[in-house]
Amino acid sequence: MAKKNKFLSWFGFGKSEKQQTEQAAKEADNQKQLEEQQCIEAEKAETERLEQERIAAEKAEAERLAQEQQAAEQQRLEQQARLAEQEAAMKLEQERVAAEKAEREAEQAAAEKAEAERLEQERIAVEKAEAERLAQEQQAAEQQRLEQQARLAEQEAAMKLEQERVAAEKAQREAEQVAVEQAEAERVEQERIAAEKAQAERLEQERIAAEKAEAERLEQERIAAEKAEAERLEQERIAAEKAQAERVEQERIAAEKAQAERVEQERIAAEKAEAERVEQERIAAEKAEAERVEQERIAAEKAQAERVEQERIAAEKAEAERLEQERIAAEKAEAERVEQEKAAQAATEKPKKEGFFARLKKGLLKTRVNIGSGFASIFSGKKIDDELFEELETQLLTADLGVDTTMKLIDNLTDAADRKQLKDGDALYELMKQEMADMLKTAEQPLVVSGDKKPFVILMVGVNGVGKTTTIGKLAKQFQSEGKSVMLAAGDTFRAAAVEQLQVWGERNSIPVIAQHTGADSASVVFDAFQAAKARNVDVLIADTAGRLQNKDNLMQELEKIARVMKKIDPDAPHEVMLTIDAGTGQNAISQVKLFNECVGLTGITLSKLDGTAKGGVIFAVADKFNIPIRYIGVGEGIDDLRTFNSNDFIDALFSQDEDDA
């Protein structure tokens, strides 16, 4: 059938008066729906305004904290500069003291060295003079002895005894000087004694020969010579003893002086050691004091930073709790309004027992008004023409099937109507019902928890406010009723009260919840929960995550991190990545599916709040555009209202035409 005249009907050409009246009524309905849409957009704008105010408040608080931190850092740098100046001055003072000390030590060492050199020179001079005197005396004595030996053997014996005594004294003095001089003196003395002995023997023979002739003369000369020699030897002995006494006195004086110098040096060394000890104790005390001051400063800065951080966290938590309470209050008010509408509607309905299928029909009531049974008035008793397709297109767009899915459905119906040569709108209605059922059939694939994966990990993702945490609680209860052990991981550590909300679900159903404080690392929470579930042999682990689409880069990085952490324990984890979307968000749900699928690779979708919207047609758009199974649909607040998606039941409930459906 040609569609070229299709768009002329939008301008009212070729329509009868009755059709114009019906068109006006429809436009009034459309106007009413437009007003409802505007109301929803106003609520959405108000929510965005509150979010912007919260972000601005957080930004202002962050700037204030940054300024305080900058001031604290400036104060810390100034204090460090003062400490550095004090340390530099202290270092200069230590260097000056060390320089003065080194200078004094150098001067003292030079003086000690000069004094030692002077004493050494005096000692050498005294020893040299003594040696020269002894050599001269020895030479004179030797010459006189040789002269007298020829004359008198007795004089030689006496002289020999005296010389031995002198030699002994000389040997004793030389022994005190150096070992080398003593050895040389002994060698010379032995040679001299041998020569004297040989000479004495020769002289003894001459003396015996001459003795008789000159006995008397020699006796007189001997007596005179002995007297003179005795006097001279006595004088030499006295002089030697005097010299020995002087030398001993000089040595004593030198020893006393050396002892006094040693005592003085020990005293100076002790004073120096004491001064160094006192200086080291002073430096150590100053260093300890500086370290104590630095530790007190660091502790004060740390306490200040912790206080500021706690104030910031408390402010953020208070703000988040306020927004969460406002959102809960708004949701509660909306739920009460919907409940009142349902109660009012139930009051007008005839009493009947609600079963499984009845609850599904009741949950899809608002969507059924726009789709399903709501289409009956469009097709009933009408011929197939451009006007019928225009009305159908308007109704599909109003139900939020989206432009692409709507045009695809219209094109399929148009081609089928031409090909099968359908006669009236009722036949086209059945064809449309079949087309929409086929569209949903491709997305029907229930979740199967594999028994060989323990625990079977389900990672729940989605933006804030879509009912993700509530869906987790309902899923946990259903798994528990099937005899499976369940554990929950409170990975949404960003939203205030998210952890507490999940813990309430856990307490209500006696299900363990692994959680940490608000603001903790989500990946660490999930990792701990995964290990705990594995250790306890739990069948199913459901992990909640934060939903912050306004910070989608951070969200996606966090989700990727959670997935990486899971794979450290099990390379196949997570085994199910399930996205929860709110049916009332309309075409915005399409962008959410696209975004999360690109990030973490979705394996399933839960469509919540179908009972609270007239735009549940987004389920057809999701099934048509993405090859992702729709696992569950939510059509009410009760546990049983989260249903495994069955396309046949959904289509039957959607297109039901019971007379009691208001």
Side-chain angles (χ1 to χ4, degrees), residues 221-275:
E221 290 180 357
R222 181 184 66 77
I223 293 170
E226 286 179 354
K227 185 178 180 180
E229 181 65 18
E231 291 177 355
R232 186 187 65 78
L233 291 175
E234 182 65 20
Q235 291 175 356
E236 289 179 354
R237 184 185 63 77
I238 292 171
E241 290 178 354
K242 184 178 179 181
Q244 178 68 11
E246 290 178 352
R247 183 181 65 78
V248 171
E249 181 65 20
Q250 289 176 356
E251 290 178 354
R252 183 186 63 77
I253 293 171
E256 290 178 354
K257 184 177 181 181
Q259 178 69 11
E261 289 177 351
R262 185 181 62 77
V263 171
E264 181 66 17
Q265 289 176 356
E266 290 178 353
R267 184 187 63 78
I268 293 172
E271 291 178 354
K272 181 180 177 182
E274 179 66 16

Side-chain angles (χ1 to χ4, degrees), residues 426-465:
D426 293 333
L428 186 62
Y429 176 74
E430 293 298 327
L431 180 60
M432 184 195 70
K433 180 178 176 181
Q434 185 60 43
E435 286 286 338
M436 297 179 76
D438 293 341
M439 190 176 291
L440 290 182
K441 195 69 176 177
T442 59
E444 179 184 339
Q445 186 177 339
L447 176 63
V448 177
V449 176
S450 176
D452 58 349
K453 301 291 185 182
K454 270 199 173 186
F456 186 86
V457 182
I458 303 175
L459 183 65
M460 302 294 291
V461 299
V463 302
N464 281 332

Side-chain angles (χ1 to χ4, degrees), residues 361 364-374 653-654 656 661:
K361 286 197 301 179
L364 295 176
L365 177 62
K366 291 186 177 181
T367 300
R368 188 150 41 103
V369 173
N370 279 341
I371 312 177
S373 61
L654 191 64
S656 174
D661 291 339

